[in-house]
Amino acid sequence: MTEKITIVEKILNANDRLANQNRQRINESKTYAINLMASPGAGKTSFILATINGLFADGVKIGVIEGDTAPVTIDSDKIQAAGMPAVQINTGGECHLDAIMVENALDQLDLDPLDILIVENVGNLICPAGFDLGTHSNVVVASIPEGDDKPYKYPNIYRGLEVLIINKIDLLPYIDFDLDYFRKGVEMLNPGLVTFLVSCKTGEGIDEWLAWLKAKLPQK
Amino acid sequence: MTEKITIVEKILNANDRLANQNRQRINESKTYAINLMASPGAGKTSFILATINGLFADGVKIGVIEGDTAPVTIDSDKIQAAGMPAVQINTGGECHLDAIMVENALDQLDLDPLDILIVENVGNLICPAGFDLGTHSNVVVASIPEGDDKPYKYPNIYRGLEVLIINKIDLLPYIDFDLDYFRKGVEMLNPGLVTFLVSCKTGEGIDEWLAWLKAKLPQK
């Protein structure tokens, strides 16, 4: 008699398993979910506010989970002031969100009325890249003042992305930033990556992003 | 007979013990060492170059240990082009430097001729805060485009600092940045913190920083 050998192709770790549960839960509400990552101060919250305001007239409802390392509600307050629900996660000094934190936040948020869920990760170009949260797409906000060498120095976060937002293009006249060099670095890591050049301050480029996003939304 | 009870006041972890060894080694060369931390793109390398160039005429020798998450030598090349020795650490995706990495880098660097050693940490406002490298002071480069709420959102890195550099002040006219709000946040975490407002692009404020630094240098 030959022993049967079972080959397990991919053993999910605890985070991946929970992330899949989160995704299933989000799918049941027909909500499109985004994991939004960036350096500190690249403009994640401004980008969320521009998205909320840009889709408000269309009746699109956006819920936000805000990740911060400290117990502050600066960003959540801005989201709620824009008329949308927000849940704050305080990571207690931890440098990234994980699927367990998002699971806990989902318990505080009524997904059913939401068309979009945006999870604003902790400001960090390194650690968040390694953790699936259960969202549908990873979006990174890069920013002009950060410099054009970031894809070369922080490659991991650029590899697993669906969309790249290059923010603060209104500052291009005042900063030495070689857009071709930046894009060449991104192209090596993630060929053909969907990219939008925007300024959350002036509104430039936001409409193109909103058109992309609207095409992704499931029928409620 | 009574058993003698030994009370150990503080048990050093492996990193702290190695950091102390690094510091002793640096002290033996009468070199002043700085752990330079910041978000990605705040201007750490530009700040090092401004420091090298500003002290060049005085014959001050500065060595640099460059920490990056990827095997690139973009920053080390700039330091060497400025005429100073640089050693590159590739953390292999890790989000911060630790004392072991610095110990290995010190093996590659002749400390004796150096007046100053600057360790440029990985661009990250969270994880580097927890690791003593064996330097004499922690310096953070904040930058105007990052926004004025960073001390409130990333408090840990502001607590253990000796010097704060606020960089890119040439961009103040183009960005909504409330300097009083920013400084109030810093003051709550680190009262009386030595702070310099600079622009590495225009050179504004660099002389005040250089005067502070020169006063710290041990006699060789």
Side-chain angles (χ1 to χ4, degrees):
Chain A
M1 191 187 128
T2 317
E3 287 289 332
K4 200 172 151 190
I5 297 173
T6 307
I7 298 173
V8 180
E9 296 245 338
K10 189 189 175 196
I11 300 172
L12 295 180
N13 64 29
N15 185 79
D16 287 344
R17 198 179 293 195
L18 257 179
N20 283 342
Q21 286 176 18
N22 288 346
R23 198 155 22 241
Q24 195 174 346
R25 190 169 166 183
I26 294 166
N27 284 341
E28 282 164 9
S29 300
K30 296 187 176 170
T31 304
Y32 185 74
I34 290 169
N35 173 18
L36 190 65
M37 299 177 283
S39 300
K44 293 187 295 303
T45 311
S46 303
F47 179 68
I48 295 172
L49 291 171
T51 305
I52 289 174
N53 294 332
L55 295 177
F56 201 86
D58 294 326
V60 176
K61 299 256 177 307
I62 303 178
V64 180
I65 296 174
E66 286 289 347
D68 272 298
T69 70
V72 289
T73 57
I74 297 171
D75 294 341
S76 305
D77 292 347
K78 290 180 186 168
I79 303 302
Q80 287 180 336
M84 294 292 165
V87 175
Q88 184 76 35
I89 298 175
N90 169 19
T91 70
E94 269 295 307
C95 50
H96 60 87
L97 296 182
D98 62 26
I100 299 173
M101 297 180 199
V102 171
E103 183 190 40
N104 289 334
L106 288 176
D107 291 340
Q108 314 292 321
L109 197 64
D110 183 8
L111 280 174
D112 283 334
L114 299 181
D115 301 290
I116 301 169
L117 170 69
I118 303 181
V119 183
E120 182 176 340
N121 219 310
V122 172
N124 184 333
L125 271 193
I126 308 164
C127 317
F131 291 82
D132 185 2
L133 305 181
T135 55
H136 299 105
S137 64
N138 288 332
V139 178
V140 158
V141 180
S143 101
I144 298 296
E146 284 167 25
D148 51 25
D149 57 1
K150 293 301 156 290
Y152 302 90
K153 289 185 177 171
Y154 303 87
N156 285 348
I157 203 141
Y158 283 92
R159 285 200 181 97
L161 283 192
E162 278 72 38
V163 179
L164 173 63
I165 307 294
I166 306 176
N167 188 24
K168 307 194 189 182
I169 57 167
D170 53 293
L171 294 174
L172 268 172
Y174 315 113
I175 292 171
D176 301 321
F177 188 100
D178 183 339
L179 197 55
D180 287 338
Y181 177 65
F182 180 89
R183 296 190 98 152
K184 195 177 142 199
V186 175
E187 189 64 22
M188 287 192 315
L189 301 163
N190 197 329
L193 177 61
V194 175
T195 302
F196 298 98
L197 283 152
V198 311
S199 165
C200 293
K201 192 172 178 180
T202 67
E204 194 180 341
I206 295 292
D207 282 348
E208 288 78 359
W209 149 251
L210 295 179
W212 183 93
L213 181 58
K214 278 202 274 189
K216 289 283 172 188
L217 302 188
Q219 286 294 322
K220 278 272 189 187
Chain B
M1 190 187 131
T2 317
E3 288 290 334
K4 199 173 151 190
I5 297 171
T6 307
I7 297 172
V8 179
E9 296 244 340
K10 189 189 174 194
I11 301 172
L12 295 179
N13 65 30
N15 185 78
D16 287 344
R17 197 179 294 195
L18 258 179
N20 282 343
Q21 287 177 18
N22 288 347
R23 196 155 23 240
Q24 196 174 346
R25 188 169 169 184
I26 294 165
N27 284 342
E28 282 163 8
S29 301
K30 298 187 176 169
T31 304
Y32 185 74
I34 290 169
N35 174 18
L36 190 65
M37 300 177 282
S39 300
K44 293 185 296 301
T45 310
S46 305
F47 179 68
I48 294 172
L49 291 170
T51 304
I52 288 174
N53 294 332
L55 296 177
F56 201 87
D58 294 326
V60 176
K61 299 258 180 303
I62 304 178
V64 180
I65 296 174
E66 286 289 346
D68 272 298
T69 68
V72 289
T73 58
I74 297 170
D75 293 343
S76 304
D77 293 346
K78 289 180 187 169
I79 303 303
Q80 287 180 338
M84 294 293 166
V87 176
Q88 183 75 35
I89 299 175
N90 169 20
T91 69
E94 268 296 304
C95 50
H96 60 87
L97 296 182
D98 61 27
I100 300 172
M101 297 180 199
V102 171
E103 183 190 41
N104 290 334
L106 288 176
D107 291 340
Q108 314 294 321
L109 198 63
D110 183 8
L111 280 174
D112 281 335
L114 299 180
D115 301 290
I116 301 170
L117 169 69
I118 303 181
V119 184
E120 181 176 341
N121 219 309
V122 173
N124 184 334
L125 272 192
I126 308 164
C127 315
F131 292 82
D132 185 3
L133 305 181
T135 56
H136 299 103
S137 64
N138 288 331
V139 178
V140 158
V141 180
S143 101
I144 298 296
E146 284 168 24
D148 50 25
D149 57 2
K150 293 301 156 288
Y152 302 90
K153 289 185 179 174
Y154 303 88
N156 285 347
I157 203 141
Y158 284 91
R159 286 200 181 96
L161 282 192
E162 278 71 38
V163 179
L164 174 63
I165 306 294
I166 305 177
N167 189 23
K168 307 195 189 182
I169 56 166
D170 53 292
L171 294 175
L172 269 173
Y174 315 112
I175 291 170
D176 302 322
F177 187 99
D178 183 339
L179 197 55
D180 287 339
Y181 176 67
F182 179 88
R183 297 189 97 152
K184 196 177 140 200
V186 175
E187 190 64 21
M188 288 193 314
L189 300 164
N190 197 329
L193 178 61
V194 175
T195 302
F196 298 99
L197 283 152
V198 311
S199 164
C200 294
K201 191 172 178 181
T202 67
E204 194 180 342
I206 295 292
D207 281 348
E208 288 80 357
W209 150 251
L210 295 179
W212 182 93
L213 181 58
K214 278 203 272 190
K216 289 283 171 188
L217 301 188
Q219 287 294 323
K220 278 275 186 185

